[in-house]
Amino acid sequence: MATIENPLTITEKVYVRVRLANENDIHHIYKLFYQIHEYHNYTHLYKATESSLCDLLFNKTNPSPLFYGPSILLLEVSPTPFSDIDSKDQKFKPVLKQFDLRANVVDKEADEFKSNSINDDDKNDVFIAGYSFFYANYSCFYDKAGIYFESLYFRESYRKLGMGRLLFGTVASIAANNGFSSVEGIVAVWNKKSYDFYVDMGVEIFEEFRYGKMVGDALQKYADPKEI
């Protein structure tokens, strides 16, 4: 992990914006996805490239309705306030908030995660701290689409500051205000802090269900329907 000689230090207050990711963010999304694979010791399974992620997330050939296809919210931070710009061209109005800090935030990766947002031409002190990744899913339990919450991740400098509640809550707000039936996903039972966080946010845990996954050779065995 590359670092800078003079890391970004934020004192007293940190200003936060949650916004919908765009193509200009793909390099940072790729790096954040790699970091969450590092966190779970799964880097050997990370096969994506920036190009393949761009095709997945920003498919211009066959775009999905807003929030139905793979969607990413980025949480950005700044030592100075964000402007509350209300544009009719925005698909999603960014959420702004500020957090009082108990201790200074020292970000040694700030240069690597300086935001490429096109909304702040006059503001050059914006940095990407984390993301949430979600998309529509369907179930025989409901007659409407729900939201599958795939992952939430923060860079190390921005953990334990209360930002996870804002980011997850924003996804829940999107679901509640756009006719989705639910928000669901996988909760790591070994990570007690994460487990408790989701329960505290109102997520009901179904202990009797286990997550299953078929990939690689196990999946390719079924490539030819004649062999089933």
Side-chain angles (χ1 to χ4, degrees):
M1 178 178 65
T3 59
I4 54 177
E5 294 183 3
N6 298 303
L8 170 71
T9 301
I10 305 177
T11 62
E12 297 184 2
K13 291 182 184 294
V14 59
Y15 297 89
V16 170
R17 176 173 64 188
V18 177
R19 66 170 175 86
L20 194 62
N22 58 62
E23 288 183 67
N24 295 319
D25 301 307
I26 198 65
H27 178 65
H28 291 132
I29 293 170
Y30 175 83
K31 293 177 74 171
L32 289 169
F33 277 16
Y34 185 84
Q35 284 195 0
I36 195 172
H37 279 75
E38 277 189 317
Y39 179 81
H40 290 289
N41 295 314
Y42 285 155
T43 53
H44 61 289
L45 298 177
Y46 192 47
K47 308 300 183 184
T49 65
E50 289 189 26
S51 177
S52 65
L53 279 180
C54 193
D55 290 341
L56 172 69
L57 299 172
F58 309 109
N59 186 336
K60 293 182 178 180
T61 304
N62 187 27
S64 300
L66 185 62
F67 303 130
Y68 277 76
S71 305
I72 289 185
L73 293 179
L74 293 175
L75 188 144
E76 297 173 313
V77 297
S78 177
T80 60
F82 289 98
S83 298
D84 189 4
I85 302 173
D86 191 0
S87 171
K88 293 182 180 179
D89 295 330
Q90 290 178 322
K91 297 179 180 179
F92 168 77
K93 181 175 172 57
V95 177
L96 306 182
K97 192 169 183 176
Q98 67 183 47
F99 289 83
D100 294 324
L101 298 175
R102 297 180 180 177
N104 293 349
V105 169
V106 180
D107 184 357
K108 296 181 179 180
E109 299 179 294
D111 277 356
E112 295 179 67
F113 286 92
K114 193 167 187 177
S115 178
N116 295 323
S117 171
I118 59 176
N119 298 320
D120 295 295
D121 294 334
D122 60 340
K123 186 171 171 60
N124 61 0
D125 59 351
V126 180
F127 306 90
I128 296 174
Y131 77 86
S132 60
F133 179 29
F134 60 96
Y135 43 85
N137 72 341
Y138 299 87
S139 167
C140 62
F141 290 101
Y142 305 104
D143 58 357
K144 296 180 181 179
I147 281 182
Y148 184 81
F149 191 80
E150 200 277 342
S151 56
L152 180 149
Y153 177 79
F154 283 94
R155 295 193 291 114
E156 189 171 1
S157 300
Y158 300 100
R159 297 170 190 165
K160 301 179 182 179
L161 297 177
M163 296 179 184
R165 177 174 290 272
L166 173 62
L167 197 48
F168 182 80
T170 301
V171 176
S173 177
I174 287 171
N177 287 294
N178 288 275
F180 290 97
S181 61
S182 62
V183 176
E184 58 185 83
I186 299 171
V187 176
V189 295
W190 57 267
N191 189 333
K192 188 177 187 307
K193 289 183 178 179
S194 174
Y195 185 98
D196 291 345
F197 164 78
Y198 287 112
V199 171
D200 186 58
M201 290 295 294
V203 174
E204 182 180 2
I205 308 297
F206 293 90
E207 303 285 358
E208 64 269 30
F209 291 100
R210 298 272 183 131
Y211 175 67
K213 189 174 185 178
M214 180 186 290
V215 297
D217 292 342
L219 177 62
Q220 289 307 311
K221 286 168 59 177
Y222 297 93
D224 186 353
K226 296 178 181 179
E227 300 298 322
I228 297 175

